[in-house]
Amino acid sequence: MAASSAPSCEIRRVVVHFYPAGLKGGAHPCEQQFFGRRGKPVKKMRFVPAEKAFSIAKAMQGTKGCTVSVI
């Protein structure tokens, strides 16, 4: 019997949602910023190796007024 494993992806995307008013919620405006391989903001959503994506997200975690997503 083969062992089942969860699907995994070697590349991800990093998105940071900024809330200019400081309040998170559906009714409040949100700005999205995408991050590239070097950990710097880019205009388009880019693929990043999973390890690098999670390290960027960990560095951004805890910043006030934002939410970090690794897709």
Side-chain angles (χ1 to χ4, degrees), residues 3-69:
S4 64
S5 63
S8 63
C9 183
E10 297 175 4
I11 54 175
R12 305 287 175 112
R13 296 175 176 160
V14 181
V15 182
V16 179
H17 306 273
F18 287 101
Y19 299 91
L23 301 171
K24 296 180 184 178
H28 301 286
C30 172
E31 297 174 8
Q32 293 181 352
Q33 194 169 31
F34 308 112
F35 282 79
R37 288 184 180 193
R38 297 182 185 188
K40 296 190 178 193
V42 292
K43 290 184 181 181
K44 291 183 178 179
M45 194 180 286
R46 302 281 186 204
F47 285 111
V48 179
E51 240 179 73
K52 185 70 175 173
F54 285 110
S55 68
I56 293 169
K58 190 174 181 180
M60 293 292 295
Q61 185 180 16
T63 305
K64 287 193 172 196
C66 77
T67 301
V68 182
S69 303

